[in-house]
Amino acid sequence: MKIGNLEFREGVFLAPMAGITDPPFRKVVQRFGVSGLWTEMISAHGLVQGGRRFATTDLGGHVVPTIFQIYGHDPEIMAEAADMLQDVGAAAVDINMGCPVKKVVRKGSGAALMKDMPLAGRIVAAVRKRLRIPLSVKIRSGWDERNRNAPQLAQIAEEQGADLVVLHSRSRSAVHSGPVDMGILAEVKRKVCIPVIGNGGIRNADDAVRMVEETGCDGVMIGRGALGRPWFPGLVIHSMSGGSAARGQTATILEVVKEHFRYQLELRGVLTGVRRMRKHLVWYSRGLAASADFRKRMVRMDDPEEVLTAAERFFGDAVIS
Ligand SMILES: Cc1cc2nc3c(=O)[nH]c(=O)nc-3n(C[C@H](O)[C@H](O)[C@H](O)COP(=O)(O)O)c2cc1C
């Protein structure tokens, strides 16, 4: 698939997840194979008006295209933020039109843009004007089950110059749970000529294959299926390529944990690095024997050496699966 001038063999992407898809996590995911990485959402307002720096824009060690996601509601500020991000190495910029979080929606950003399609269109047009790199929009099926306007919004985005639509095929009111609407994903795909990436509920390789087969979407995006399993997008690529793509390295979970932890400490220092890593350790430990006890002990640890020793004992030589 092609997104503007970017070309991908298999379209298997890591979803943007605030507080999760930071540089350390993205680097671990790419080690096992992934077509492209989405950053966590970045406040356009914070970037432009607050002069805030966002750790998530750090691309040190990234070798696959990284798409920076912004959220906001003011076309000019969104355009300015996109311009800043293309200058720091974004492969593409994505506009968040799906975030259901109240404090985002209340200000007219995220999923609120699905209720104001003229404004959404103006934002796409303004960002497009400033951007030399591809532009994507990430939308939901609609604001709620009665207002499922993803096909119309996708068309507006295309008309205003977007190169890609990512559809999280649930409504804003469903948040992150409930069935994924394959019908509306297929409809969006039929309505636009630009590529469409499907997202939602992919937990194994068969889910991804089914989504592509049932809807005709050009690629898939994986969110929670990669939590504690950064190797999962690589497995999906392997499966979707019919086995021709390299399977990625086999490794023990401990090796992956150690690498991930090292990146966290390098980026954030000891205190924040350890705290950020804890939730990932909870996910890495899921499904393993005595994980409840490990989690209970680990959440009280602040010393990286202590965390490492506990991880070595707990994960032992368990391998990724
Ligand atoms: C903790 C968390 C944070 C998220 N943050 C973002 C975000 O910053 N931007 C965004 O567009 N979607 C965000 N999402 C939504 C995901 O990108 C994705 O659309 C959703 O989780 C459905 O995919 P999945 O079923 O594969 O997880 C977030 C989801 C979760 C669970």
Side-chain angles (χ1 to χ4, degrees):
M1 68 179 285
K2 268 185 99 173
I3 306 172
N5 60 348
L6 300 171
E7 214 166 331
F8 302 93
R9 238 168 62 116
E10 285 85 23
V12 179
F13 299 86
L14 178 68
M17 287 184 281
I20 297 166
T21 57
D22 59 359
F25 187 66
R26 297 196 304 257
K27 279 195 284 185
V28 179
V29 168
Q30 79 175 358
R31 165 184 164 174
F32 293 98
V34 66
S35 308
L37 302 157
W38 251 252
T39 67
E40 310 157 86
M41 62 181 187
I42 298 167
S43 160
H45 195 272
L47 198 63
V48 174
Q49 299 204 320
R52 271 187 65 198
R53 290 191 62 242
F54 290 82
T56 204
T57 61
D58 183 342
L59 292 183
H62 286 60
V63 294
V64 300
T66 305
I67 294 96
F68 286 33
Q69 189 189 65
I70 52 174
Y71 72 96
H73 55 273
D74 180 302
E76 284 319 308
I77 291 175
M78 293 289 272
E80 179 70 26
D83 194 9
M84 289 165 78
L85 293 174
Q86 74 185 343
D87 288 343
V88 296
V93 169
D94 176 60
I95 300 174
N96 181 322
M97 298 191 182
C99 179
V101 172
K102 279 208 182 89
K103 81 174 187 222
V104 171
V105 169
R106 212 183 296 128
K107 292 193 174 147
S109 307
L113 292 171
M114 296 214 60
K115 285 205 298 191
D116 189 344
M117 291 198 284
L119 175 59
R122 286 200 300 281
I123 291 175
V124 174
V127 175
R128 173 74 283 162
K129 246 201 214 151
R130 296 282 281 277
L131 221 51
R132 301 177 298 275
I133 55 177
L135 171 59
S136 158
V137 293
K138 183 165 179 280
I139 65 178
R140 285 182 173 254
S141 58
W143 174 256
D144 56 29
E145 296 311 315
R146 278 179 306 157
N147 298 282
R148 294 156 70 252
N149 58 342
Q152 293 93 303
L153 184 55
Q155 280 177 311
I156 291 172
E158 179 176 40
E159 279 159 21
Q160 299 305 326
D163 301 293
L164 172 72
V165 174
V166 180
L167 176 64
H168 176 193
S169 225
R170 294 184 177 103
S171 67
R172 186 268 336 168
S173 55
V175 190
H176 296 309
S177 59
V180 169
D181 186 340
M182 296 288 194
I184 204 160
L185 179 54
E187 193 182 339
V188 167
K189 173 61 195 162
R190 282 196 302 273
K191 285 269 159 67
V192 295
C193 299
I194 52 176
V196 175
I197 291 177
N199 165 243
I202 297 175
R203 299 292 181 270
N204 57 54
D206 288 348
D207 293 336
V209 173
R210 197 174 323 119
M211 183 177 270
V212 172
E213 282 177 1
E214 280 184 25
T215 69
C217 67
D218 302 275
V220 296
M221 175 178 270
I222 293 170
R224 287 161 295 169
L227 299 182
R229 293 183 77 209
W231 50 86
F232 178 50
L235 285 180
V236 174
I237 289 189
H238 178 72
S239 184
M240 287 177 91
S241 72
S244 68
R247 170 104 209 275
Q249 302 113 314
T250 46
T252 63
I253 300 177
L254 183 61
E255 281 173 89
V256 182
V257 163
K258 279 182 165 173
E259 182 177 334
H260 191 167
F261 196 22
R262 179 160 53 80
Y263 293 148
Q264 282 290 5
L265 296 174
E266 279 167 10
L267 182 72
R268 305 182 194 281
V270 169
L271 197 62
T272 318
V274 169
R275 293 197 174 153
R276 269 264 172 156
M277 192 64 199
R278 282 181 189 153
K279 64 181 170 207
H280 289 281
L281 286 166
V282 168
W283 292 319
Y284 281 114
S285 72
R286 269 191 316 212
L288 295 174
S291 59
D293 175 59
F294 169 68
R295 291 197 288 266
K296 225 175 2 184
R297 285 184 297 115
M298 185 260 310
V299 292
R300 289 195 296 264
M301 295 175 190
D302 276 326
D303 174 16
E305 288 306 320
E306 197 185 352
V307 174
L308 266 181
T309 308
E312 274 163 7
R313 272 201 211 117
F314 174 73
F315 291 107
D317 50 12
V319 289
I320 66 175
S321 60

